[in-house]
């Protein structure tokens, strides 16, 4: 065999391999295909665990931010209630994908509100609030963005729809003009971030179990169809 023939064979093999990923996957032994599916499930569990850990840390950071703001403004802990984010109500009928979409959409809206609250404080209060409070706001915003990235990855893994763009419809992005009401509005936004962070923790801790159960149901349904 000359070099050209050998090279041709190598090239042909490469073309056969790359021409159809689906055909290649179908030609894999059954055990290897099972391993690939299991690996995908493991990756989803890992991402869910990482997102839950980020949410736990964000919840801690939100608690510090709320405490700093309450002391600074002399607010009682129950001064503000009511939701600012607009998403469909929770339901036991929602599947994993819908739960993740609802969660991810809420976190995106939280970030929009938080960014506006930070900008509004700069505009109306002259940006004179520095030190620990200012640093804590930045920390919460950065960790919230990191959580959004991870919930977005989970949504993609669940074959979810396109990542939702936060809608400003229904959100109080302008904020009040009266000083006290403005401060109260900012506080409500901080509490909203904290609320959805806790909701994220609860949802993601159950997610690996839900994934396993749904995969088991799918497998049983396929076996029943084959019979």
């Amino acid at each position: 065999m000359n070099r050209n023939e050998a090279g041709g064979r190598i090239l042909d093999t490469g073309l056969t391999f790359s021409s159809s990923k689906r055909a290649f996957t179908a030609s894999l032994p059954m055990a290897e295909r099972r391993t690939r599916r299991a690996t995908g499930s493991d990756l989803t569990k890992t991402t869910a665990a990482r997102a839950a850990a980020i949410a736990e840390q964000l919840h801690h950071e939100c608690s510090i931010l709320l405490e700093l703001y309450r002391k600074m403004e002399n607010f009682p802990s129950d001064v503000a209630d009511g939701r600012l984010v607009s998403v469909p109500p929770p339901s036991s009928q929602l599947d994993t994908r819908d739960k993740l979409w609802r969660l991810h959409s809420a976190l995106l809206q939280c970030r929009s509100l938080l960014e506006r609250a930070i900008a509004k404080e700069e505009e109306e209060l002259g940006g004179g609030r520095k030190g620990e409070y200012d640093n804590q706001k930045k920390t919460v915003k950065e960790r919230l963005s990191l959580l959004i990235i991870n919930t977005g990855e989970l949504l993609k893994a669940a074959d979810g729809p396109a990542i939702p763009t936060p809608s400003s419809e229904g959100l109080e992005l302008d904020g009040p003009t009266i000083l006290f009401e403005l401060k109260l509005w900012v506080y409500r936004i901080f509490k909203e971030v904290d609320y959805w962070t806790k909701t994220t923790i609860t949802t993601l801790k159950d997610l690996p179990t839900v994934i396993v159960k749904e995969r088991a149901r799918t497998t049983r349904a396929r076996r029943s169809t084959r019979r």
Side-chain angles (χ1 to χ4, degrees):
M1 182 186 299
N2 59 40
R3 180 174 296 181
N4 289 335
E5 289 177 344
R9 290 185 183 183
I10 292 172
L11 181 60
D12 290 343
T13 303
L15 288 171
T16 301
F17 175 80
S18 61
S19 61
S20 176
K21 184 178 179 181
R22 185 176 299 176
F24 172 74
T25 303
S27 68
L28 289 172
M30 182 64 70
E32 188 170 347
R33 274 185 275 169
R34 283 199 206 101
T35 301
R36 288 194 165 203
R37 286 197 295 268
T39 301
S41 177
D42 290 342
L43 286 173
T44 303
K45 291 178 187 177
T46 301
T47 304
R50 183 174 64 245
I54 294 169
E56 291 275 9
Q57 187 62 37
L58 177 57
H59 176 46
H60 174 68
E61 301 293 355
C62 282
S63 298
I64 295 174
L65 180 61
L66 285 167
E67 186 63 22
L68 288 171
Y69 197 79
R70 277 198 298 265
K71 288 181 177 179
M72 187 170 60
E73 300 297 345
N74 293 317
F75 279 168
S77 58
D78 59 348
V79 71
D81 283 315
R83 301 274 65 85
L84 296 174
V85 163
S86 177
V87 291
S91 170
S92 59
Q93 302 301 316
L94 295 178
D95 60 17
T96 300
R97 179 182 56 191
D98 292 334
K99 287 178 181 178
L100 286 171
W101 185 92
R102 178 176 179 271
L103 193 64
H104 189 70
S105 179
L107 292 173
L108 284 168
Q109 291 180 56
C110 280
R111 183 169 62 181
S112 294
L113 286 166
L114 183 60
E115 288 174 343
R116 186 57 188 144
I118 293 172
K120 196 73 174 177
E121 278 195 311
E122 292 289 324
E123 293 169 8
E124 300 297 330
L125 303 175
R129 300 179 173 189
K130 301 298 181 183
E132 187 178 1
Y133 169 69
D134 194 51
N135 291 334
Q136 195 63 30
K137 281 192 299 184
K138 292 177 181 177
T139 298
V140 168
K141 178 184 172 183
E142 290 170 1
R143 209 172 302 277
L144 175 59
S145 294
L146 185 58
L147 181 58
I148 288 171
I149 290 171
N150 279 267
T151 55
E153 289 177 0
L154 282 170
L155 186 57
K156 289 178 182 178
D159 296 323
I163 301 301
T165 301
S167 172
S168 58
E169 185 178 351
L171 291 181
E172 301 176 27
L173 290 177
D174 289 336
T177 55
I178 300 173
L179 184 58
F180 175 77
E181 292 181 358
L182 172 61
K183 292 179 178 180
L184 191 61
W185 174 73
V186 170
Y187 184 62
R188 288 182 66 196
I189 289 174
F190 293 162
K191 289 193 72 172
E192 190 76 349
V193 175
D194 183 63
Y195 171 83
W196 283 105
T197 300
K198 288 185 285 189
T199 302
T200 299
I201 294 169
T202 303
T203 303
L204 294 184
K205 280 185 176 179
D206 294 336
L207 192 60
T209 303
V210 172
I211 291 172
V212 171
K213 287 181 179 179
E214 288 189 353
R215 193 174 295 278
R217 280 199 301 268
T218 302
T219 301
R220 287 197 298 270
R222 287 175 179 171
R223 288 174 179 172
S224 177
T225 302
R226 288 171 184 170
R227 292 173 186 171

